[in-house]
Amino acid sequence: MIPGNGLFVTATDTGVGKTVVTAGLVRSLRKKGFRIGVMKPMQSGHLRTDPEGDGMRLKNWTESQTPIDRIVPYSWSLPVAPGLAAYLAGESVDIDWLLQEIHMMVQINDGLLIEGAGGWLVPIGNGWTIADFAAAIGWPTLVVARPGLGTVNHTALTVAAIRQRGLSVTGVVINGSKPEDPSPDLPYNAQLIEEVADVPVLGTIPWLGDTWSPKELEETILSHLNLTPILHLWNRKEEIAHDHLGTSDPTSS
Ligand SMILES: Nc1ncnc2c1ncn2[C@@H]1O[C@H](COP(=O)(O)OP(=O)(O)OP(=O)(O)O)[C@@H](O)[C@H]1O
Ligand SMILES: [Mg+2]
């Protein structure tokens, strides 16, 4: 396990909202006094300097001063799983080197958020998957899930697969709920995920529309997610007390 305060962000599928949630969490945790770093170790679909790619989005949305090649050590232009993108480019991922980069990044921060790629069993080359990579890092995980029908099953399967690798799941974030969506399961899915997967749901982030600002994302995360399990993980008791006062126990001041 890499020493330091880290969190590995995965999801039930690609396109569920890892980048948006990770960027929002970096900003929100910073607001609570942490110096937070962010990485997307393997990015496919966009080269690292492409502003539409996850790395540049994470860098811009979090206003990070870290050079992009530290945030995104590997990138490929093909929009396929990292293992296949690397293979088709005639390359392979050097896991030991990646682990060293992560080690360096976590050392210089109070906390480091790592965005995976796609879902939990996405191939990254040489028979490895994101699960193997996350297990080599050894950090607790956060699962980003869809709001709608199918999410209880997908989330519970992902949580079970993570625990099978001996890693903990700090919580689930449901991302992209649309208040106008009439689907009758929506108000129940968070509770059903907690029951079926036995995991805390930190909250539900609404769909912010086509245009939103990083500040708006930060405010949405701070008002819709319970960050206490993450703060607890990183053992900042002072901040946890503050978070409790701010969100769940207005009578105890
Ligand atoms: N809550 C939201 N409100 C508005 N737009 C969102 C929200 N969540 C995600 N999006 C948009 O949906 C798309 C997919 O989200 P995102 O890129 O975060 O998914 P991802 O899980 O990181 O995907 P990948 O597997 O490619 O890394 C992006 O265009 C993103 O800006
Ligand atoms: Mg992403």
Side-chain angles (χ1 to χ4, degrees), residues 14-20 40 54 57 115 118 175 206-209 212:
T14 183
V16 177
K18 293 182 299 296
T19 306
V20 168
K40 170 89 183 184
D54 284 1
R57 285 185 166 172
E115 181 187 341
N175 178 55
W207 186 255
L208 298 170
W212 45 268

Side-chain angles (χ1 to χ4, degrees), residues 133-145:
F133 179 50
I137 297 168
W139 291 348
T141 63
L142 186 82
V143 177
V144 183

Side-chain angles (χ1 to χ4, degrees), residues 36-57:
I36 303 289
V38 68
M39 286 180 81
K40 170 89 183 184
M42 285 166 274
Q43 172 175 309
S44 47
H46 302 272
L47 292 177
R48 62 170 68 81
T49 53
D50 187 333
E52 298 297 307
D54 284 1
M56 284 306 289
R57 285 185 166 172

Side-chain angles (χ1 to χ4, degrees), residues 82-122:
L84 184 56
Y87 172 76
L88 293 172
E91 298 171 9
S92 65
V93 172
D94 182 342
I95 298 286
D96 287 339
W97 176 71
L98 266 188
L99 296 176
Q100 283 170 30
E101 288 289 296
I102 292 166
H103 188 254
M104 187 280 298
M105 283 284 279
V106 77
Q107 294 290 302
I108 59 171
N109 286 289
D110 298 328
L112 180 68
L113 266 62
I114 292 186
E115 181 187 341
W120 187 243
L121 289 179
V122 160

